Amino acid sequence: MFKKILFALAILITGFVVLVSRQPSTFRIERSLTMATPADLPFGLVNDFHRWHFWSPWDAMDPQMKKTFDGPYAGPGATYAWSGNDKVGQGKMTILDAKPYERINIQLEFQKPWEAVNATTFTFQPAAEGSVTVSWIMEGHNTFVGKAFSLFMDMDGMIGKDFEKGLASIKTLTEQEAKNRLEREAKAKAEAEAAAQAPAPTDAPQATTTTP
């Protein structure tokens, strides 16, 4: 009986290993959102790690999360390391390349609760007039553990949900700033036009004196 149980377990384990090994060796998670804003506004929020706390879905998961910034203030070479609770773990991001208002490439390194290195890309594609479609993409290789997790958890759904939250926050922030920018420009234009139409000041009459 004991041998039969061991044999059955061996079959189950072998079957599980075969099933896991047949899972995709790579993954790609992508979400996009169109925003009524010029591309420079969302680009600026992503290109500067110091501004991620305004929109990142993970900052809210651990307000006490420790952050370290290094390298240039923004753009290629800038790094952002974090260490927090079980929900956010520990890791590091590095901006590898940034083409203004078009694309930002980031290397994403997870250190805890597991180790992994993934490629993250943000793209900014012109949409309707005055709008831009922002895409958030993460790609990487699945280890055996990652393949096993994919059998029980919908990684695309879990991470994709966070991407959707982050993009929605970027949309809210940038659309408001775009509106404020238009209002400032309209006010400045009105003030300039009013100044141009104002009558030119006349010279004050000079005092005259008479000789007695």
Side-chain angles (χ1 to χ4, degrees):
M1 176 64 72
F2 183 68
K3 289 184 178 180
K4 291 182 179 180
I5 294 175
L6 289 179
F7 182 72
L9 286 174
I11 293 177
L12 288 175
I13 293 173
T14 301
F16 178 74
V17 171
V18 172
L19 181 61
V20 171
S21 65
R22 290 180 177 177
Q23 299 307 303
S25 59
T26 61
F27 70 88
R28 177 185 174 94
I29 299 170
E30 178 177 357
R31 295 293 187 273
S32 300
L33 188 63
T34 299
M35 310 173 188
T37 174
D40 66 294
L41 293 179
F43 181 91
L45 280 179
V46 178
N47 197 46
D48 181 357
F49 285 136
H50 298 84
R51 303 175 68 187
W52 276 51
H53 71 94
F54 289 118
W55 60 269
S56 171
W58 298 296
D59 274 55
M61 295 180 183
D62 183 6
Q64 305 302 320
M65 180 169 56
K66 296 180 181 179
K67 308 173 187 177
T68 303
F69 303 95
D70 202 358
Y73 194 85
T79 66
Y80 164 41
W82 77 91
S83 178
N85 58 25
D86 293 340
K87 292 182 178 180
V88 300
Q90 181 178 333
K92 178 182 178 181
M93 290 188 290
T94 304
I95 297 180
L96 302 179
D97 181 59
K99 187 174 183 180
Y101 319 139
E102 293 185 18
R103 176 183 295 270
I104 298 173
N105 295 323
I106 299 173
Q107 178 175 279
L108 173 60
E109 303 172 59
F110 291 107
Q111 297 163 352
K112 293 180 181 180
W114 62 79
E115 294 186 358
V117 179
N118 299 326
T120 299
T121 304
F122 287 84
T123 63
F124 308 84
Q125 297 291 331
E129 183 176 357
S131 298
V132 62
T133 297
V134 181
S135 296
W136 189 351
I137 306 159
M138 184 169 73
E139 299 172 286
H141 293 276
N142 272 327
T143 63
F144 181 85
V145 174
K147 292 179 180 181
F149 276 143
S150 68
L151 292 173
F152 306 101
M153 294 184 291
D154 179 11
M155 298 301 291
D156 183 88
M158 291 175 60
I159 298 177
K161 186 182 298 182
D162 291 331
F163 283 12
E164 291 167 5
K165 290 180 181 178
L167 290 172
S169 294
I170 292 176
K171 175 182 173 71
T172 299
L173 290 168
T174 56
E175 287 187 345
Q176 183 59 53
E177 177 55 28
K179 180 180 178 181
N180 293 341
R181 176 185 288 180
L182 290 175
E183 291 176 351
R184 290 194 299 268
E185 291 175 351
K187 181 179 179 181
K189 182 179 180 181
E191 291 175 348
E193 291 176 349
Q197 295 174 1
T202 57
D203 295 336
Q206 296 182 350
T208 57
T209 57
T210 58
T211 303

